[in-house]
Amino acid sequence: MTNVAVVGSQWGDEGKGKVVDWLSERADVVVRFQGGHNAGHTLVIDGKVYKLNLLPSGVVRGKLSIIGNGLVVDPWALLDEIDRIAEQGIKVTPDTLKLAENVPLILPLHGALDRAREEASGSAKIGTTGRGIGPAYEDKVARRAIRVCDLADDEMLEQKVARLLAHHDALLRGMGQPPIDAADLLAKLRALAPRLLPYATVTWALLDEIKRAGKRILFEGAQGAMLDIDHGTYPFVTSSNTVTGSASTGSGIGPSGVGYVLGITKAYTTRVGSGPFPTELHDDIGQAIGDRGREFGTVTGRRRRCGWFDAVMVRQAMKVGGVHGIALTKLDVLDGMDELKICTAYRCRGETLHHLPASQARQAEVEPVYESIPGWKESTQGARSWKDLPASAIKYIRRIEELIETPVALLSTSPEREDTILVHDPFEN
């Protein structure tokens, strides 16, 4: 029996929410460890759709859920999400949700700055959600963030707000904008404190108790490996570390407590926003994949860019993330296609590459080297065992395993919770 970390192996949107929900039945605790409300996890349970941004997916099953210190949290968005999910019959209380006391807060000024920068960047924009995640992480690293624990100390809060605004007001002046009203911001934070602080606790100590008690912990990542601030397609990345190592630093449990790593991997490739995408399809096939896969961002509603499976990129994510097995999702979207393609290498400036280069210029220039494989006419939607899969679909899966050098542990064949084929239980590693 072991703890399990779930991470995305592409550019996010791989179907982590459904897989985490499915695995959470076997877990005692679910922990979010990085990102913010730029994440969007969609769960479909008995035809009912739950859309989560900050809340760990375990809340839908009533599991103890923890928001770790590696996130940045918009407190108003969190409380709104708690209220919204309550309307769907899911009650979240301080007994079922724990918030790390040292989580940095996303303030209204962060979102305003995020959106202003994107607008000013024009065609060079990164494609952020505009929700303030990047500026909030900047303040964290610069040691001027307002954290949850600061709401309990009014005198310290005033000092920290003053220091924060000394920086942001200078930025605003440079952009021709008026300064932040310090009194208004303090009033909003003071009004927030009584409702938010009951959720706050020393989550690293709680996780240590849970681990020593032998309970199963499920670590839920957001975004994907290619959006990692260090290992992704920089600068078109998110502002946090999305790879497995962040499960430790973003929760405080220590590397030895993580255990099995499950990489969520879509059977094709998608991306939201700007940045390189070697296997992107600009034709009718790409359009059809997007339509069939309902590829629209949970958070932004933007249509996702679609393309063939990129084994080079995913293999790189396996290595960097220390992934033990993958959960392959959305196989059913490829049903009915005569031919499928898999990217097995890149060409760039006369070279053949088996990794995605770090250089922004070279990333923009790489061209995919494809291998063709026959498609299948039969439906895989809703399959719950290998015998329900067409032979060509199994051949496609096996070839992916070979190319990414990682086995399939789970196979998801629809958004529904139970339409899942278990090959290897990650908790029984």
Side-chain angles (χ1 to χ4, degrees), residues 1 5 20 33 68 95 98 101 136 161 177 220 238 259 352 374 421:
M1 190 170 68
V20 169
F33 57 84
D95 291 327
K98 305 296 183 182
E101 63 175 1
V161 166
Q177 299 295 317
E220 178 181 13
T238 193
T352 298
I421 299 173

Side-chain angles (χ1 to χ4, degrees), residues 139-140 142-146 156-169:
D139 282 342
K140 173 184 177 178
R143 301 179 293 276
R144 56 175 170 259
I146 307 298
M156 180 61 69
L157 182 64
E158 285 193 27
Q159 294 175 19
K160 289 201 167 187
V161 166
R163 182 170 184 269
L164 181 70
L165 296 191
H167 171 80
H168 281 276
D169 285 346

Side-chain angles (χ1 to χ4, degrees), residues 34-45:
Q34 49 76 218
H37 63 315
N38 55 341
H41 293 170
T42 301
L43 315 180
V44 181
I45 303 168

Side-chain angles (χ1 to χ4, degrees), residues 21 23-24 35 37 43 50-51 105 139 176 211 213 257 259 268 309-311 320-321 350 361 408 420:
D21 169 65
L23 286 170
S24 66
H37 63 315
L43 315 180
Y50 300 89
K51 294 189 176 183
L105 297 179
D139 282 342
K211 184 180 73 170
Y268 48 97
F309 187 85
D310 189 337
V320 171
V408 168
T420 304

Side-chain angles (χ1 to χ4, degrees), residues 381-392:
Q381 186 171 15
R384 298 185 181 181
S385 69
W386 283 105
K387 66 180 178 61
D388 297 330
L389 297 175
S392 294

Side-chain angles (χ1 to χ4, degrees), residues 21-25 57-63 90 417-418:
D21 169 65
W22 191 85
L23 286 170
S24 66
E25 185 175 30
S57 297
V59 297
V60 178
R61 286 192 185 267
K63 301 288 183 173
I90 306 297
R417 175 190 280 172
E418 299 306 326

